[in-house]
Amino acid sequence: MAFGLLLASSLAPAHPSLDSGYQRTTEKAFENVLWDLRFAVTQRNFRIVGRNRIGKALRERGYEDSPRAQVLEFCNLSYIRRALDLDRR
């Protein structure tokens, strides 16, 4: 897969209907989890190409009870380059 998403959240329980992915629970601080995710992605020849700070955005809009959540978008640049060379559409 050339593109992926990771969601780091401070919420421990997952919604039952969203139980199709890989999930781990930790006692680490949110920033440490994000650092670990970024490190793991880069160690596997992927590059983070986007970051959505959805929890922060919601809290800034006045939803103080929103969880600390962030979506990291990543891709393997070698794979995506080959895919774009084959068909740029």
Side-chain angles (χ1 to χ4, degrees), residues 26-80:
T26 183
E27 296 297 320
K28 291 182 181 182
F30 183 74
E31 275 69 23
N32 291 347
V33 172
L34 285 175
W35 193 94
D36 288 348
L37 288 172
R38 289 190 303 258
F39 182 77
V41 165
T42 58
Q43 290 301 299
R44 288 161 178 82
N45 198 30
F46 285 76
R47 178 147 181 203
I48 295 172
V49 295
R51 185 173 301 156
N52 297 306
R53 294 173 175 95
I54 55 176
K56 180 180 177 187
L58 286 168
R59 287 189 305 280
E60 287 173 352
R61 283 283 175 107
Y63 300 100
E64 290 85 18
D65 61 341
S66 294
R68 297 184 72 191
Q70 193 171 127
V71 177
L72 299 178
E73 303 165 16
F74 59 94
C75 72
N76 182 303
L77 297 179
S78 300
Y79 293 157
I80 199 66

